[in-house]
Amino acid sequence: MPTAAPVVLFVSDHVAGSVHVLTVPDGTVTGRLTGRHLSEHAGFLALPGGRVACVDDRRGELLVLDPYGEELVERAVPVAVPAEHLACDPAGRRLAVTTGLGRNSEPWSDLLTVVDLATGETARVRTRVGEPGVTVLGGGDPLVVLRHREPGALAAHRFADLLAAPPGCPVVPPHEFLPLPDDGHGDAHAPGSGHLFVATGEGVHRARRKDDTLLAEAVIPWEAPARGWYLRLDTRRAALWSTLRGGAPDPLRWPEWTNQAWHHELETGRTTLTELGPGLVFRLALARSHTAFTRIHPDGDELLLLGADGVVRRSPLPAMDGAPRRGGTPWEGVQRRAVAASPGSDWVAVTRGGHGEVHIVDARTGHEAARPRLSTPLHHGGHMALRSRTDGAEGDPVGR
């Protein structure tokens, strides 16, 4: 019988400029890229067959990585940087990359890149300066929908129009607008229903495609005084996830921030809130039967594993040198943690920023199976993606 393809973990150290590929759960390094500074903000985008897409912010390339192929780098396509967000159509063929701040104090680039992986065609156009989110809606010719802030709006472009733009990065106006609040941050796309979702202070705004237009639908309330800044589609059970952050907005008071896991079932409209504890909780990861969070706090860090039964298992994590402290912010010049999981696996991975360590944990038990130490320190926590060849993670077509 043929051997099943292993579960693999991509670990990016965007500061040191490396990408490691490890088998899970043993943590054996099977591949490595050097001189590749991936955009931590754009993240990894799951593609069919266990592949991922990501953006090298230094070289200005979209990379398609295949851990099961003969060469790890399957494709490298020039794109505009600094990459802000990355998304694809439901088929995983047509991709869009927006640009944002990079290492700048304010947005300055208005370039959008679109890529057709099947034909190799690519084009760059100008849209609007900002930090736009992006989704690529299927159903006929894909629609590239940009989520803008200040003023807030959803702006829809036909993918074919963008790809047909002449050289020279021309300005291409959208053919459709929907107004949004100015504080949109967090995007999701459910290919099954064709809906797109945007997190704002008011709640989750949603719209669906009708022909080449966008129709706004009722806002999904947070059902809490807090709000989510990160939005993710659950491919396992047709739901949305976020982490609601409450408390004083002053970043110096981050140890007092409240955090709740927000889970909204798309078919029933039912929303569930689960208390996670104070401190810094942000991105989350979806394993087969659990949702994983990390909580950073001066009194101790934790891996939080929320089961389908609503029970949270808490596992302490060893302290990080250079971790956020009381009296400082949780963002500037400090170490953090990345978390990764696959909807087809029970394994969860967590980084220990500054130490180059990755904790590989069985979500069913909370027990650590391995703790590989890589050749780079994973400053700022790095970024990760956990994949298997048939896990279905590509059902979420937005980079994470």
Side-chain angles (χ1 to χ4, degrees), residues 231-252:
L231 200 59
R232 183 154 194 179
L233 177 74
D234 188 337
T235 61
R236 308 164 302 180
R237 288 180 284 274
L240 296 174
W241 285 91
S242 187
T243 303
L244 307 191
R245 179 185 302 155
D250 181 359
L252 295 179

Side-chain angles (χ1 to χ4, degrees), residues 126-137:
R126 292 177 55 201
T127 57
R128 190 182 114 188
V129 171
E131 303 172 74
V134 63
T135 50
V136 185
L137 309 185

Side-chain angles (χ1 to χ4, degrees), residues 1 3 47 55 85 110 148 157 229 256 302 348 369 381:
M1 293 180 60
T3 303
L47 296 176
V55 177
H85 288 286
D110 58 1
H148 292 291
H157 300 258
W229 298 91
E256 305 168 25
E302 293 179 322
V348 171

Side-chain angles (χ1 to χ4, degrees), residues 14-31:
H14 53 282
V15 178
S18 69
V19 182
H20 290 83
V21 181
L22 289 67
T23 54
V24 174
D26 56 277
T28 301
V29 175
T30 60

